[in-house]
Amino acid sequence: MRLILVGPPGAGKGTQAKRLVSQLNIPHVSSGDMFRAAIKNGTELGKQVQEIMKQGHLVPDEVTIKMVIARIKEDDCESGFMLDGFPRTRPQAEALDAALAADDLSLDAIVLIEAADEVIIERITGRRTAPKTGAIYHIKFNPPPEGVEVTQRADDTEEAVVQRMKKYHAETAPIIPFYEAKGLLKSVNGLQTPDQVTEDILSVLGVRKS
Ligand code: AP5
Ligand code: MG
């Protein structure tokens, strides 16, 4: 299955992707995680994107497209992938379509996880991640187990979140009609419990829970 998870910051894309990929047996391809790994490893790409991300701006399309298209051409993506955080602009959506079409491939679905702006700040400012495992926690909704070391993302400040939400509405939300017109769009309510959201995603994809 070739899938895209889309939704505002804090909608639960990463949380749901981690739960779904083992069931669907496809790799989780998160553009945000790839950029964060580049920053952590001190690569040229990391240096280029560090400040942009910290401020909640979007990395330029040409940089992002090159990185993600190369990733989905790797062997483990042959039978499918779950994209999280890409595409998030119209040029990125068109580049993905063109890259897939060149290999006679196409997307199966784009799942929109809907979440109101009001809940986003609380979700994001309370998020903690475990650097060792990549697990995503929340100080109130999903507290990390005792003894697990957690950190906060550099772009999880209130200021950066406001900027990320602006970018989402201005740049990313407009790609939704592009996929709707292709009949690929499936929407789920992201304001439910994580278990309920997972169940709804599997249901809109027509996958039976194993
Ligand atoms: P990215 O990493 O993609 O961040 P984002 O889109 O802002 O989304 P988040 O990761 O913040 O939220 P999420 O939806 O994954 O939520 P999560 O599951 O963690 O991008 C970061 C930056 O990288 C961008 O700003 C940009 O600079 C750059 N970038 C990346 N891709 C790019 C691209 N394609 N083009 C250009 N630039 C790009 O959940 C959030 C919190 O809520 C957690 O604490 C979680 O425990 C909690 N939670 C989740 N679900 C629930 C629930 N159902 N109920 C209660 N709490 C919940
Ligand atoms: Mg995420």
Side-chain angles (χ1 to χ4, degrees):
M1 261 187 165
R2 291 181 187 83
L3 303 171
I4 297 175
L5 278 187
V6 71
K13 301 181 294 296
T15 300
Q16 293 302 324
K18 284 178 199 301
R19 290 162 160 251
L20 293 162
V21 289
S22 54
Q23 162 119 17
L24 300 174
N25 207 17
I26 49 177
H28 174 201
V29 177
S30 158
S31 45
D33 286 351
M34 292 171 83
F35 288 133
R36 281 183 287 276
I39 294 171
K40 194 173 166 195
N41 295 331
T43 66
E44 274 312 308
L45 174 68
K47 286 177 197 148
Q48 191 184 348
V49 304
Q50 186 160 22
E51 208 42 47
I52 298 174
M53 285 179 73
K54 196 173 168 193
Q55 289 175 15
H57 293 293
L58 291 181
V59 175
D61 281 337
E62 61 275 19
V63 176
T64 311
I65 289 168
K66 194 173 156 206
M67 176 184 78
V68 178
I69 300 295
R71 175 68 189 89
I72 63 169
K73 285 182 185 284
E74 285 178 28
D75 290 350
D76 64 332
C77 292
E78 211 162 280
S79 59
F81 47 75
M82 176 163 289
L83 284 170
D84 157 10
F86 180 96
R88 64 210 285 157
T89 64
R90 181 72 186 238
Q92 292 180 17
E94 285 168 359
L96 175 64
D97 257 20
L100 291 173
D103 289 335
D104 271 332
L105 300 172
S106 57
L107 291 164
D108 292 291
I110 163 161
V111 178
L112 168 65
I113 306 180
E114 294 183 288
D117 286 359
E118 296 79 66
V119 301
I120 287 171
I121 301 270
E122 187 184 17
R123 281 202 189 171
I124 295 232
T125 50
R127 172 169 48 197
R128 299 293 183 273
T129 43
K132 277 195 189 136
T133 59
I136 303 169
Y137 298 104
H138 189 283
I139 48 172
K140 186 164 147 196
F141 305 127
N142 178 22
E146 216 165 296
V148 171
E149 185 210 338
V150 289
T151 55
Q152 212 172 352
R153 262 170 51 175
D155 62 345
D156 277 355
T157 59
E158 205 165 322
E159 208 182 8
V161 176
V162 168
Q163 188 55 246
R164 283 156 59 198
M165 278 157 63
K166 273 193 200 154
K167 292 284 176 200
Y168 176 77
H169 290 298
E171 307 273 350
T172 308
I175 69 170
I176 293 164
F178 172 82
Y179 288 111
E180 198 169 18
K182 292 172 183 282
L184 292 173
L185 185 71
K186 318 271 182 197
S187 299
V188 298
N189 173 8
L191 300 179
Q192 313 170 86
T193 64
D195 281 349
Q196 282 167 330
V197 179
T198 309
E199 216 163 284
D200 281 5
I201 295 176
L202 290 171
S203 156
V204 296
L205 293 176
V207 177
R208 206 182 290 197
K209 208 172 173 185
S210 63

